[in-house]
Structure formats: C-alpha cells, structure tokens
Amino acid sequence: MSRRILVTAALPYANGPIHIGHLVEYIQTDIWVRFQKLRGHRCLYICADDTHGTAIMIRARQEGRSEEELIADMREQHVRDFAAFDIEFDNYGSTHCDENRELCEQIWKSVTDAGLVIEKPVEQLYDPEAETFLADRFVKGTCPVCKTPDQNGDHCEKCLSNYTPKELIDPKSRLSGATPILHEAPHRFIQLEQLHEFLDEWTQSGEHLQPEIANYLKGHFLGDELRDWDVTRPPAYFGFEIPDFPGNYWYVWFDAPIGYIGSTHQWCKEHGESLDVWWRSPDCEVHHFIGKDITYFHTLFWPGILKTAGLNLPEKVHIHGFLTVDGEKMSKSKGTFIQASTYADHLNPSYLRYFFASKLSSKVDDLDLNLDEFKAKVDSDLVGKVVNIASRCAKFVADQPLSNEYPDDGGLFQQAADAADRIAELYENCDYSAAIREIMLLADRANQYIEAKEPWTLRKDESRQDELRDVCTVGLNLFRQIVVYLGPVLPRLVNQTDELLSEPIRQWDDARSPLLGTTVNQFQHMLKRVDPQQVEKMIDDSKETLPGGEAPQPSTLNQYNDGPESLAAEPMSGEECTFDDFMKVDMRVARVVEANHVEGADKLLQLTLSLGGDETRNVFAGIKSVYDPEQLVGRLVICCANLAPRKMRFGLSEGMVLASGPGGKDIFLLNPDDGAKPGMRVH
RNA sequence: GGGGCCGUAGCUCAAUCGGUUAGAGCAGCGGACUCAUAAUCCGUUGGUUGCCAGUUCGAGUCUGGCCGGCCCUACCA
C-alpha cells in the first residue's frame, strides 16, 4: 500500500552557513526520504530558510543592505551546500514569502478565534538610537550581583547568576552603544495551558515521540501549568506584520514552523496540487526531523497550533542529538567547527553520508565524528567490502553479458532478498546503524562467495568460461542488492552501479530479482579511500576561515564578539600545572594602602599592600603608564603573597600585583568583587 | 540546587518479557590467497557488563546507594 508522506527538516537560520553539525539532520532526513521514495511511496522533502528576527535585521543593517538581499544571499549559499551533499529537497523555500504570510494570517485567525490569544504588557529595554527593542543578548552592562562589567543582559559569565536586563547596572545596547530605556509595549500571548489536556494525551500516547522525549516533557513541562507564549514583537522587527495588531510582528518562532506549510504550499502551486492533500488529510503522514535543542517548540507549541488550526498533526517527531568531533563540542580553535563547504572542498560527501548512517539510531544520543573512526569505517566498509565486490568481478566480464539464467549460488541471493523487509523496517524506524550492520553482513557473505569460487582461477581455463560468467553474475547481483539497500545513503553509488550494469535501480524491490543477460561495462573506480592529508587540510582550513568571518551561529560562541587576537598574541603555555603546583602560589586579596611614584623609574610604581592586620608587602609594579598613585590608594587588588622577594634597583619587591594585558596603555589590574576582604586567599 | 539520559572487549555498538556459556564489526595477533583500490578469506586473543548492596531459582536487564560522563533547568517541576 502506497503511503503519502510529508517530511521536514528544521529550517536553518539565515544568519550563517551550514556546518557539519547541521548536516547530521539533513542527511538523516534525506536518507529517510530517499528510502521512502525507493519503496514507492509518495513522499515530499520540504525545507526552507528561517529568515525573520532581530538578528537578521541587525546584521543587514551592519552590512548596509536590506534584509531581503541578505536572506537571498544566504539562501543561495545554503542551497549550494545542501546540493553538494546530495541532499535533495522537493522544495526549499523561505519563511519570507507570500505563501507563508497567508498561512500565518490564517493560523493566527484560528488561534485567535479559539480564544487562545491574550494581550499583556511587557517591559523591555529599548534602544532609542537603533529604534528597536533589545533581546537580552543585545544588552550588556555590569552584573548586578558581582559587579563584573560587560556582561550579558540575562546572565553573568563570571558569577553565573541570572537576572533580567532591567537589573543590569549601566546597561548599554550592543547595537548602538546607547543607553537603553525601559519601555512597555503590548505583546500577544498564546495560552498553551488551554491545550494542556490535548498535549498530555498527544505526547504521552507513545506513538509520536521517542520515549525519552515523552518523559522529558512530562517531567519538565506537563507536570505544571504551561506558560503563556509571547508570540509578537513590537517594532522595529524583521518579520510579518500582524493584521489585527498593526505595527506589531509575529515572533520568528511563530512563523518558522509555519514555514513548513508555506514551503509545501509553494510546491503545491508549482505542481498543481492542493495543499489540503498534504496538510488537511488523514491520509498524509507528516514527519518532522529536528535536533533536541528545539524539542519544546515542536512537541508542545507546534502540535498545539496545528490542532487548533485543524491541520495535520505530525505522525512522528524524530529527534536527534548533537554532533561532537573527536569527542568534543565543535571548536573553532581546534578546527573542528567544520563548514559544509569546507568539508566539500576536501572530502567526498558520500563518506559523511555513510559515516552518519553507520552511527545514527532512533535514540536522542549525541553522535561523535571521530576522524580516525571515520576513515577506518569508510575504508573498510565501503571500499574494502562493498565496492571491492564489483571491483573483483566486473573486469572478468567487461563488455560481456551476464548469464541468462541465474546460477546456483547456494541460496545467497535469496537470503539477501529475504533481508529486504528487515532492513526496510530498520530504515523506517531510523535505526540506520543497525541497517548498515545488516547490509555489511551481506557484503561479507558476497566476498566469501567470490573467495570460494576463485574466478581468477577459472579465467585461466578456456573450458570454464561459462562457469566464470556464472560466478561473476552471482557476485555482481549480490553487489547490486547491496547497492539497492545502501541507495538511500549513497545515491552516487547507485548511479555508478546503474552505469556499470546498464540497468537503473528504480525501487527497493529491485533487490528481489536478479539482473540477467545485461551487458557489463568497463569497471570504473567508484570510491577512493579517505585521504588523511585531506582530512588534515580540512581541519586547517576550518581554523582559518572563521575568526573575523561571518558569524556561523547566534550561539554563545560569538555573541560577545571576543576575537582570538589576545590568545594568539600570547599562546597558552601548553604545559600542565598540577593542583599542587597551583596551590604553591599563594594569592591574596590586598588593599593598596600607599602608592608612590618611584624617582628615576619609567614604568614602576611603589605600592604598599595590606593583607589585613599588620601584614603588609612592599611591591614595585610596572603599571605607571596606566594608573595614577592617587586612584590606586584604597582599592583592592590581587597579589601573589609568597613570591620570593627580589632586590630591585629601587628597593626590595616582596610580591606581585596581578594584571592582564599586553602592556603599554593596555594594562588591567584584577580586582575582586565587592565583599572580598584583604588577606583572603584566592583559590 | 532539582531533574533526565547514559556507563557492556582497546574503539563503535548488540543482547526480545528477567532465562543456557554476554555477542558482532573495527583494531590486535597467527595463517592463507594474490582477482581486487596494501583490498579479501580462515583462525584467534580480549569481559569482575562503572562500584556496592538488595529482590529473585536466576540480574547486563528490576530496586536503592555511590562513582563517573553528557544534557536540561533554575529560589520551579
């Protein structure tokens, strides 16, 4: 029975390039879609760029062009990157399109009519110069708890405390540097709580979500009242204006998932189909593939909206974990923050498709790209086992036809044909790694068969040429079965096999009947081993392209705009320091009780530090270029109190004041947060 | 602080409802072969299932505690 299936992958944000972390999802989804199509189902792979929000607006301003120009540019890059990895969308749209706007309006009307929308005033910091409200991460200031300057609007890196931007001391806009003003504006909220009962049932039914996700929702959200969702933004904002709320815009997270439908609508218009067939039909299964970071939106908010608007609920939300590289978070400094285009410059995308497939399961676990394992797996499985089968058979029958009758192979072909359902079920359940294991088992058996039949011996005997042809007929048919099963993962290998055997693979069931009498063409190399030098180059290139380049992600990594210059100027020592080593250095809070110029010294100031009580240290510090003695008296500093005393030209120095910076005008004394007392040890 | 997930061979992972002697692949080691991209084939080493207790005729699996890792959340579950 043929199914109608609509598949989506999460919409990448139009604020940065695609990297290999993104690719886990798009490849996982692409494999699933190709699998469904190969099985003969009607299946659409829908995606789009997510284009709205403050970040896009700000970036467009910084680059001096319109948002439309920016997102058109990004979309082009994204499309190119996806194509390089054989990720084949049926439609790749944009949330900034007429179709999406219409759908937003319709759906908004539905949730409004259902009585879910409520208006409440929201106080937020407003940048009077940039004329926009500021999201928390666009405000900086001094932490209200520990008084550390230059902290984010909602969270202090130093003392890890959370607060609201309103509490921030001396707040500044990151956009214009202006002091933000507290403004109140009306926002509209969706009262998700009204759908609580439905969401309980839908998430806990066991049919739509992985069990760990259902548990997570139950524990984190559903046990309590669901919070109202703020889904509108006052100007200025790049998005769609709301018809019944003039001057205000839908929050990007409202129109982003609707983009799935908007993009489908575009496809429908092009193909003369009705949108209802895909989104308002019990006969259509909707499947979303997403990363675990956006679980909430897709498992609570989004089903709630769909339900209210009378649209198809997802049959399944497939959630995957994050990608790590060599066991760690992707890192720019280590060169493991690898962009799709950088990868494609050096390595064959099929490798990555295969590697991801061999690691992916239906669980939410993170997936590790260990580069040694990557090479070992591709070399051993794909080149050594799979392609090798064709490589060791094809040349014996090049430019000749295969046998007209399928020879006795001891049941091998039938055995592999019987695996079709089992492998299909594994693909269907997203247990790709298990499917790959099954398929590799078939490859092992095929190699064993060839080993036993020794076609290279047969070739030498004129009287056994029919036998040789039979052996190759078996070998190449076993190879072709494997290629059918790997087809969703490796479309290029399918094409190469089509050419070799002059007969295209069209469907999953091609694995059930052998190919006979077809002419075998000259064998061409299908896949090379992974070149370790290229892997290295890719890592090197990833180190170079990022600093100063375009912001890859609106993540914490770059929202502070901290460049690598300081670290580069003074690289890490690379030497490890044990805890005991560290404890040998006795650092103390100290108060500067006296500070004087030193006659004849160009850079030095003489400081008298008090460690409390009678304990003092005489210290010469090279900070004259920046600090006046007057401003130092009374302040707290950190000093090393057990540094061996050193006789200097101007006297004995009994310690060292801690400061950072390259020198000259750039010297920054360390100071403890309020509350610290002279004499306290620094741990 | 609270919660979730996880811990099985050197590495990556299996093991149905609690059921026989915990299995594969890769790596390693020994051999064979020489068609094939230094590929392949045969054989083989390798385990206190993180630790401790408990339930049970029987525990990798269930319960409690501890250790370690990842993640989510935060004067909330």
Side-chain angles (χ1 to χ4, degrees), chain A residues 86-323:
Chain A
D86 299 326
I87 294 160
E88 216 169 74
F89 300 110
D90 289 280
N91 194 66
Y92 195 85
S94 160
T95 56
H96 196 66
C97 69
D98 292 340
E99 289 85 359
N100 204 38
R101 182 195 294 271
E102 283 166 28
L103 281 156
C104 287
E105 289 173 4
Q106 283 173 26
I107 290 170
W108 182 247
K109 187 169 185 307
S110 301
V111 290
T112 305
D113 290 349
L116 296 183
V117 177
I118 185 177
E119 190 171 308
K120 291 191 273 190
V122 172
E123 262 193 345
Q124 216 183 342
L125 293 176
Y126 181 82
D127 182 331
E129 268 177 45
E131 297 184 323
T132 181
F133 281 88
L134 296 165
D136 294 352
R137 68 174 183 281
F138 288 110
V139 186
K140 63 175 178 180
T142 301
C143 167
V145 181
C146 72
K147 311 288 189 280
T148 306
D150 207 28
Q151 292 305 309
N152 251 9
D154 57 348
H155 173 81
C156 173
E157 289 256 287
K158 182 94 176 270
C159 70
L160 301 176
S161 51
N162 294 300
Y163 40 81
T164 69
K166 286 186 285 185
E167 301 171 75
L168 211 57
I169 299 165
D170 192 24
K172 296 282 185 222
S173 164
R174 281 190 191 275
L175 307 183
S176 65
T179 302
I181 311 161
L182 201 55
H183 262 195
E184 192 181 274
H187 285 224
R188 292 200 182 163
F189 293 74
I190 291 179
Q191 298 169 296
L192 213 53
E193 178 58 19
Q194 291 191 26
L195 301 164
H196 200 135
E197 198 181 329
F198 158 72
L199 291 172
D200 261 333
E201 198 183 302
W202 189 82
T203 59
Q204 303 303 310
S205 74
E207 287 168 26
H208 311 299
L209 302 174
Q210 290 130 296
E212 57 264 56
I213 297 295
N215 288 337
Y216 164 77
L217 296 175
K218 197 174 171 186
H220 281 78
F221 300 105
L222 294 167
D224 210 343
E225 193 171 300
L226 294 167
R227 277 177 242 166
D228 293 345
W229 237 83
D230 184 354
V231 291
T232 71
R233 291 293 181 272
Y237 195 76
F238 179 57
F240 291 139
E241 197 175 350
I242 307 170
D244 65 352
F245 196 24
N248 287 278
Y249 298 81
W250 283 300
Y251 176 47
V252 56
W253 260 111
F254 179 79
D255 67 56
I258 294 174
Y260 296 142
I261 310 177
S263 184
T264 312
H265 198 191
Q266 278 186 336
W267 183 90
C268 287
K269 283 183 174 174
E270 273 171 40
H271 293 81
E273 289 205 18
S274 158
L275 184 65
D276 290 352
V277 164
W278 297 95
W279 282 97
R280 284 194 183 84
S281 160
D283 297 331
C284 180
E285 303 169 29
V286 174
H287 290 256
H288 296 305
F289 285 79
I290 61 164
K292 63 184 180 183
D293 51 328
I294 52 176
T295 296
Y296 178 92
F297 304 102
H298 284 82
T299 57
L300 295 175
F301 179 69
W302 181 232
I305 296 292
L306 290 170
K307 167 82 174 165
T308 307
L311 293 155
N312 275 17
L313 285 159
E315 178 62 28
K316 281 213 166 88
V317 182
H318 307 262
I319 303 179
H320 62 81
F322 297 141
L323 179 74

Side-chain angles (χ1 to χ4, degrees), chain A residues 45-57:
Chain A
Y45 187 3
I46 297 293
C47 199
D49 260 13
D50 178 15
T51 59
H52 291 153
T54 315
I56 299 285
M57 179 178 79

Side-chain angles (χ1 to χ4, degrees), chain A residues 522-547:
Chain A
Q522 289 286 338
F523 181 76
Q524 315 270 343
H525 264 37
M526 291 176 162
L527 205 63
K528 281 192 301 202
R529 306 186 122 68
V530 176
D531 180 352
Q533 288 190 348
Q534 289 299 318
V535 175
E536 255 177 65
K537 278 189 191 165
M538 174 181 78
I539 299 289
D540 282 349
D541 279 9
S542 297
K543 283 177 188 161
E544 287 165 11
T545 49
L546 282 147

